[in-house]
């Protein structure tokens, strides 16, 4: 890969890291600010309220996916990426200054809700714009490796958030963290977003987009439209189905893991946070290796490995995690789970981008992926807490395994996408004859 390719991957990844720092920091600090926005009482009920607002952000992601996906296809990947970080910065500022329940009643929760709506809009477009940008900016035989940096940067953002949480836990008292300390990461997130805004204003557009701009693909006036996406509805439904199992498993072992270890396994918050941090650090390092492997053997083998592992190992892993009484058993089980999830996270960005032609690629990835996340990823934590509150926590383990089983069927029946030519996908006689087969042009 040339210097320009690395530069594009670096800029895209740096922005993605800040985006996901702001997104995940809400979840990682929820245990500290849950009581600030809702009446005192049952801690689980408070967490369910904050998890509900967390889920609302996911339900805005389809809107953000449509809006910013359209921008990405019509104005360019650079324009979409710049807009997403602007929205994220605004949301971080709102959360940082939101009044508490004792000051403004439910007014603080309303501000929190608005901020999450903005975050949902931003991330709804960020995932697709980032996935598309990283896939298009890489060398054809290194798309899996390059796009894996999306989850490297996503995980790095979460690690920075968790690392900051560990520092604050050791420098501030429990009372200070619950009172005002939880605002610090949101202030940092807003400042980081301002820096990334500058970087993205000066980033380079991808050659694939520039080559297709004004030629080929959908008619110019239909670029990034729902009409153009409808021509690729089979691929859109495929994105929803292949995302289902992956997103539930990912959010279970990342954003929900710390709460699960604290509330269900009974580990101290500091220990639970350290387990998540260490497991995620190894997980982050695995992404490029798995992406590189997919460039050699294809995407389907990794996806199938993830789905089989998640289907059959989720219940025993979650059961043993609940009984983990110290750091090392919890770390080993969490790491095992994340190794399995790597089969999905390392390559799902490029797989989705490889399904669509350039003129509808950003929207094609954004909208169906955001829908899948709204239905499954965003609700994962809320569903887990609902099972726990109902006294049937193990039911959630089977729910995760079931979602993975559905995706397994999709992985077993879908075609390989590794060798697709991004310049040609969706064009030529095959496309004219059968739009549903467009994404497989050039595949093995």
């Amino acid at each position: 890969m040339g210097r320009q390719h690395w530069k594009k991957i670096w800029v895209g990844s740096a922005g993605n890291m800040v985006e996901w720092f702001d997104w995940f920091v809400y979840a990682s600090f929820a245990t500290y600010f849950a009581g600030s926005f809702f009446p005192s009482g049952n801690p689980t009920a408070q967490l369910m309220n904050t998890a509900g607002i967390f889920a609302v952000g996911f339900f805005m992601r389809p809107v953000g996916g449509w809006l910013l996906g359209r921008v990405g296809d019509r104005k360019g990947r650079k324009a979409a990426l710049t807009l997403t970080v602007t929205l994220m910065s605004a949301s971080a500022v709102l959360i940082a200054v939101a009044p508490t329940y004792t000051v403004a009643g439910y007014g603080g929760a309303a501000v929190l809700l608005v901020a999450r709506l903005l975050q949902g809009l931003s991330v709804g477009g960020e995932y697709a714009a980032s996935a598309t940008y990283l896939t298009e900016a890489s060398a054809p035989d290194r798309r899996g490796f390059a796009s894996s940096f999306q989850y490297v940067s996503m995980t790095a953002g979460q690690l920075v958030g968790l690392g900051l949480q560990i520092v604050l836990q050791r420098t501030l008292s429990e009372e200070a963290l619950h009172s005002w300390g939880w605002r610090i990461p949101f202030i940092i997130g807003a400042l980081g977003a301002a820096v990334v805004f500058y970087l993205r204003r000066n980033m380079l557009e991808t050659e694939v987009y520039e080559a297709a701009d004004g030629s080929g693909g959908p008619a110019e006036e239909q670029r990034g439209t729902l009409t153009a996406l409808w021509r690729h509805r089979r691929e859109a439904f495929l994105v929803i189905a292949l995302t289902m199992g992956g997103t539930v498993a990912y959010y279970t072992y990342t954003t929900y893991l710390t709460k699960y270890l604290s509330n269900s396994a009974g580990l101290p918050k500091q220990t639970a946070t350290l387990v998540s941090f260490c497991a995620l650090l190894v997980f982050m390092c695995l992404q490029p290796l798995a992406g590189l492997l997919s460039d050699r053997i294809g995407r389907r083998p990794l996806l199938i490995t993830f789905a089989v592992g998640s289907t059959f190992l989720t219940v025993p892993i979650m059961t043993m995690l609940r009984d983990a009484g110290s750091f090392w058993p919890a770390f080993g089980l969490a790491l095992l789970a994340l190794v399995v999830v790597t089969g999905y996270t390392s390559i799902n960005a490029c797989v989705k981008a490889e399904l669509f032609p350039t003129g509808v690629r950003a929207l094609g990835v954004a909208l169906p992926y955001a829908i899948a996340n709204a239905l499954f990823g965003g609700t994962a934590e809320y569903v887990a807490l609902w099972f726990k509150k109902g006294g049937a926590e193990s039911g959630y383990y089977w729910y995760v395994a079931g979602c993975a089983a559905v995706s397994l069927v999709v992985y077993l029946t879908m075609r390989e996408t590794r060798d697709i030519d991004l310049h040609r996908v969706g064009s030529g006689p095959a496309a004219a004859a059968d739009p549903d087969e467009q994404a497989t042009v050039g595949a093995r």
Side-chain angles (χ1 to χ4, degrees):
M1 294 179 65
R3 182 177 179 182
Q4 289 292 351
H5 284 135
W6 279 112
K7 182 178 180 180
K8 290 176 179 178
I9 290 172
W10 156 244
V11 175
S13 297
N16 201 37
M17 182 184 71
V18 175
E19 285 268 357
W20 289 93
F21 168 84
D22 287 337
W23 179 261
F24 281 118
V25 90
Y26 178 99
S28 62
F29 278 84
T31 55
Y32 292 106
F33 67 73
S36 297
F37 296 103
F38 300 98
S40 59
N42 189 328
T44 300
Q46 289 180 336
L47 278 176
M48 287 188 70
N49 285 327
T50 53
I53 293 180
F54 183 77
V56 167
F58 277 85
F59 283 101
M60 284 301 292
R61 287 175 68 164
V63 179
W66 166 72
L67 177 64
L68 297 170
R70 180 181 174 87
V71 171
D73 286 327
R74 297 182 72 88
K75 303 297 182 182
R77 317 312 187 201
K78 173 182 173 180
L81 286 168
T82 303
L83 182 55
T84 61
V85 78
T86 302
L87 293 172
M88 186 62 77
S89 178
S91 67
V93 171
L94 283 176
I95 297 176
V97 302
T100 63
Y101 180 81
T102 57
V103 172
Y106 284 107
V111 173
L112 191 65
L113 178 61
V114 171
R116 286 298 295 176
L117 294 177
L118 288 178
Q119 282 191 339
L121 283 173
S122 175
V123 177
E126 170 67 23
Y127 174 87
S130 176
T132 302
Y133 188 86
L134 289 173
T135 302
E136 291 181 349
S138 63
D141 61 343
R142 287 293 182 268
R143 291 201 299 257
F145 174 73
S147 64
S148 71
F149 281 88
Q150 182 177 48
Y151 271 82
V152 170
S153 56
M154 285 173 63
T155 306
Q158 187 173 7
L159 284 173
V160 172
L162 286 172
L164 179 59
Q165 187 175 19
I166 291 173
V167 171
L168 292 177
Q169 286 172 338
R170 282 159 174 72
T171 56
L172 297 178
S173 66
E174 190 81 2
E175 181 182 358
L177 270 174
H178 283 273
S179 177
W180 56 270
W182 60 266
R183 297 183 188 272
I184 294 176
F186 297 103
I187 296 173
I188 293 174
L191 294 174
V195 174
V196 172
F197 176 82
Y198 171 78
L199 291 175
R200 287 187 167 178
R201 288 280 292 177
N202 295 280
M203 72 193 301
L204 300 173
E205 188 58 83
T206 68
E207 290 89 347
V208 173
Y209 180 83
E210 290 181 334
D213 191 17
S215 62
E220 196 66 21
E221 65 276 6
Q222 293 188 357
R223 291 173 66 90
T225 64
L226 294 176
T227 300
L229 180 60
W230 184 248
R231 298 194 185 99
H232 302 272
R233 55 192 176 277
R234 179 178 177 182
E235 289 74 28
F237 285 114
L238 182 61
V239 169
I240 293 175
L242 67 87
T243 301
M244 178 182 177
T247 190
V248 170
Y250 176 73
Y251 280 99
T252 296
Y253 297 118
T254 55
T255 59
Y256 180 61
L257 180 64
T258 304
K259 300 181 186 66
Y260 180 74
L261 291 175
S262 178
N263 295 336
S264 298
L267 295 179
K269 288 181 180 179
Q270 291 87 345
T271 303
T273 302
L274 187 60
V275 168
S276 293
F277 182 89
C278 294
L280 284 171
L281 182 61
V282 179
F283 171 74
M284 180 181 69
C285 296
L286 291 175
Q287 303 309 299
L289 299 177
L292 190 61
L293 179 62
S294 79
D295 287 326
R296 291 179 176 272
I297 67 174
R299 322 297 189 211
R300 289 181 67 248
L302 271 72
L303 291 172
I304 292 171
T305 299
F306 150 70
V308 170
S310 191
T311 298
F312 295 103
L313 294 179
T314 294
V315 175
I317 287 176
M318 293 294 287
T319 301
M320 288 188 287
L321 270 174
R322 186 179 58 195
D323 298 326
S326 60
F327 171 84
W328 287 108
F331 170 72
L333 290 166
L335 182 58
L336 173 60
L338 287 173
V339 168
V340 172
V341 174
T342 295
Y344 167 80
T345 56
S346 60
I347 58 171
N348 81 94
C350 67
V351 169
K352 294 161 188 172
E354 288 166 346
L355 292 173
F356 299 94
T358 304
V360 74
R361 183 168 293 129
L363 179 62
V365 175
L367 186 56
Y369 173 79
I371 290 173
N373 266 272
L375 294 175
F376 304 105
T379 59
E381 183 177 330
Y382 194 85
V383 171
L385 291 170
W386 181 81
F387 273 110
K388 178 178 175 59
K389 190 176 182 180
E393 190 168 31
S394 61
Y396 179 70
Y397 315 160
W398 291 100
Y399 169 76
V400 177
C403 289
V406 172
S407 288
L408 174 59
V409 175
V410 176
Y411 303 152
L412 290 172
T413 56
M414 69 180 289
R415 300 188 184 186
E416 181 58 64
T417 63
R418 179 186 60 174
D419 297 320
I420 286 176
D421 184 346
L422 296 182
H423 290 276
R424 292 174 53 84
V425 58
S427 63
D434 186 356
D436 289 339
E437 297 296 326
Q438 292 176 40
T440 60
V441 175
R444 285 187 171 184

